[in-house]
């Protein structure tokens, strides 16, 4: 059944004013990039407005809003997973090269992967931490920055240097063999 009155009620406006800061903080704790926190919090309020008839007034409104926000973040993760089958296009291009046939690809798997592992082991501990966070855990630069006490720009710069370092290491070791 559709509501006749689509205007936002003063009660809902008050609810947004009361819950906005707490919801933003909660969204941030879910690992959402700072630039997207307000958008996700706002989207949670929009969903709450659309679904307001299903809300049980006996329940905790803050918990309901956090549940909506959590589901929105889950949806974003699913969308992101579908879009990102390759974690980092540039690194994949460097590491894969451009094998022309399946035999070359198999050769790469047998020869270069151990070399890549050796090269990663030779990195400084902080560089290995950055690589593991970015390529192992799939963290984005702002999240890694928060975790490592760096700026997002510094993380991106470090990743560029690390990729170049890995490329040179792989080329050097492959030339020795």
């Amino acid at each position: 059944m559709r509501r006749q009155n689509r205007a936002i009620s003063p009660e809902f406006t008050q609810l947004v004013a009361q819950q906005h800061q707490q919801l933003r903080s909660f969204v941030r704790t879910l690992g959402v990039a700072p630039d997207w926190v307000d958008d996700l919090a706002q989207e949670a309020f929009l969903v709450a407005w659309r679904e307001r008839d299903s809300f049980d007034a006996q329940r905790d409104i803050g918990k309901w809003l956090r549940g909506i926000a959590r589901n929105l973040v889950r949806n974003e993760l699913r969308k992101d997973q579908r879009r990102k089958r390759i974690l980092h296009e540039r690194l994949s291009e460097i590491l894969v090269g451009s094998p022309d046939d399946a035999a070359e690809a198999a050769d790469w798997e047998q020869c270069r992967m151990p070399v890549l592992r050796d090269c990663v082991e030779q990195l400084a501990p902080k560089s290995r931490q950055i690589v593991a966070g970015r390529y192992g855990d799939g963290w984005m630069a702002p999240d890694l920055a928060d975790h490592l006490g760096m700026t997002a720009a510094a993380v991106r710069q470090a990743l560029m240097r690390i990729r170049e370092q890995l490329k040179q290491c792989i080329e050097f070791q492959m030339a020795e063999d």
Side-chain angles (χ1 to χ4, degrees):
M1 179 181 217
R2 291 185 70 99
R3 286 184 172 252
Q4 297 296 322
N5 185 0
R6 305 299 294 167
I8 294 179
S9 67
E11 294 83 15
F12 192 79
T13 301
Q14 184 178 2
L15 169 75
V16 171
Q18 290 172 344
Q19 298 289 326
H20 182 73
Q21 191 60 39
Q22 292 171 326
L23 188 60
R24 283 188 78 253
S25 296
F26 177 74
V27 169
R28 183 68 184 118
T29 64
L30 296 176
V32 174
D35 295 345
W36 292 98
V37 168
D38 284 332
D39 288 347
L40 274 168
Q42 192 172 35
E43 193 173 339
F45 283 119
L46 289 172
V47 170
W49 174 251
R50 284 194 302 264
E51 301 296 325
R52 64 190 180 278
D53 291 337
S54 67
F55 178 68
D56 178 1
Q58 302 299 317
R59 293 178 50 203
D60 179 354
I61 189 79
K63 187 175 180 179
W64 186 57
L65 289 168
R66 289 188 299 275
I68 291 170
R70 183 176 286 118
N71 288 334
L72 290 170
V73 172
R74 281 188 187 124
N75 290 341
E76 287 298 316
L77 288 171
R78 282 188 214 116
K79 286 182 208 171
D80 206 37
Q81 291 296 322
R82 283 190 295 248
R83 278 183 262 155
K84 286 185 169 181
R85 294 186 182 196
I86 303 286
L87 287 177
H88 195 281
E89 192 174 319
R90 176 79 176 121
L91 180 61
S92 294
E93 287 172 4
I94 291 168
L95 298 177
V96 172
S98 57
D100 294 326
D101 58 31
E104 192 173 342
D107 182 54
W108 186 92
E109 183 70 25
Q110 288 179 347
C111 296
R112 291 187 186 174
M113 190 57 87
V115 172
L116 172 62
R117 285 191 191 106
D118 287 345
C119 290
V120 169
E121 286 301 315
Q122 293 174 26
L123 292 172
K126 187 142 189 168
S127 295
R128 282 197 309 266
Q129 207 174 6
I130 292 170
V131 168
R134 178 66 186 101
Y135 301 110
D137 301 329
W139 289 17
M140 300 303 288
D143 297 323
L144 266 173
D146 287 345
H147 182 70
L148 299 172
M150 302 169 68
T151 65
V155 168
R156 288 186 198 99
Q157 190 72 19
L159 281 167
M160 280 182 17
R161 277 189 264 116
I162 291 167
R163 286 191 293 267
E164 187 59 36
Q165 193 176 352
L166 289 173
K167 178 184 173 192
Q168 290 175 1
C169 178
I170 290 170
E171 288 172 352
F172 178 76
Q173 289 197 19
M174 296 300 287
E176 282 188 335
D177 293 338

